Amino acid sequence: MFLEEEEQRVARKLQFNMLPRSLRIGTSLFSEITEKGRFSNGKFFLFRFVKSEGKSRFSVTVSKKVSKSAVDRNKIRRRVYSLLRKHISNI
């Protein structure tokens, strides 16, 4: 019994805080950004953006080149969202 409770506690600590839906980019705006937006790329990420008034919104995609496993790609995506959430006030 104690072991199960300890495992659940550890699992809760490892959960990542996703970015609120209001700060994420929806599919309609995402397609607009891919067509009209600017981009910057690095070794592991491609960052697309459009200058706009108002609050910043974000979207994270992870290519199959990074990992063939959807589980791994989603884990990376959740980690990036978690980092964005922590540093959103500085952006």
Side-chain angles (χ1 to χ4, degrees):
M1 186 70 143
F2 176 74
L3 186 57
E4 290 176 10
E5 292 173 3
E6 183 67 20
E7 287 176 353
Q8 289 175 352
R9 187 182 65 77
V10 170
R12 272 186 254 123
K13 277 187 169 182
L14 293 177
Q15 287 179 345
F16 299 102
N17 294 323
M18 288 288 288
L19 203 58
R21 188 170 293 278
S22 63
L23 296 178
R24 286 186 264 164
I25 294 173
T27 54
S28 61
L29 187 56
F30 186 80
S31 60
E32 180 183 331
I33 290 172
T34 56
E35 293 172 7
K36 300 176 184 176
R38 300 178 65 193
F39 70 92
S40 175
N41 61 337
K43 187 173 180 180
F44 298 108
F45 291 99
L46 174 68
F47 181 70
R48 294 184 186 267
F49 59 94
V50 173
K51 292 183 180 180
S52 65
E53 300 294 324
K55 63 182 174 184
S56 300
R57 295 175 60 181
F58 303 91
S59 181
V60 175
T61 56
V62 181
S63 171
K64 284 186 179 179
K65 289 180 182 180
V66 174
S67 175
K68 298 291 183 196
S69 169
V71 173
D72 292 338
R73 291 192 311 271
N74 287 334
K75 190 182 294 186
I76 292 167
R77 186 177 54 85
R78 286 190 300 269
R79 287 179 179 174
V80 173
Y81 275 135
S82 181
L83 288 171
L84 281 171
R85 184 182 183 122
K86 289 179 183 176
H87 300 287
I88 194 81
S89 61
N90 299 330
I91 299 174

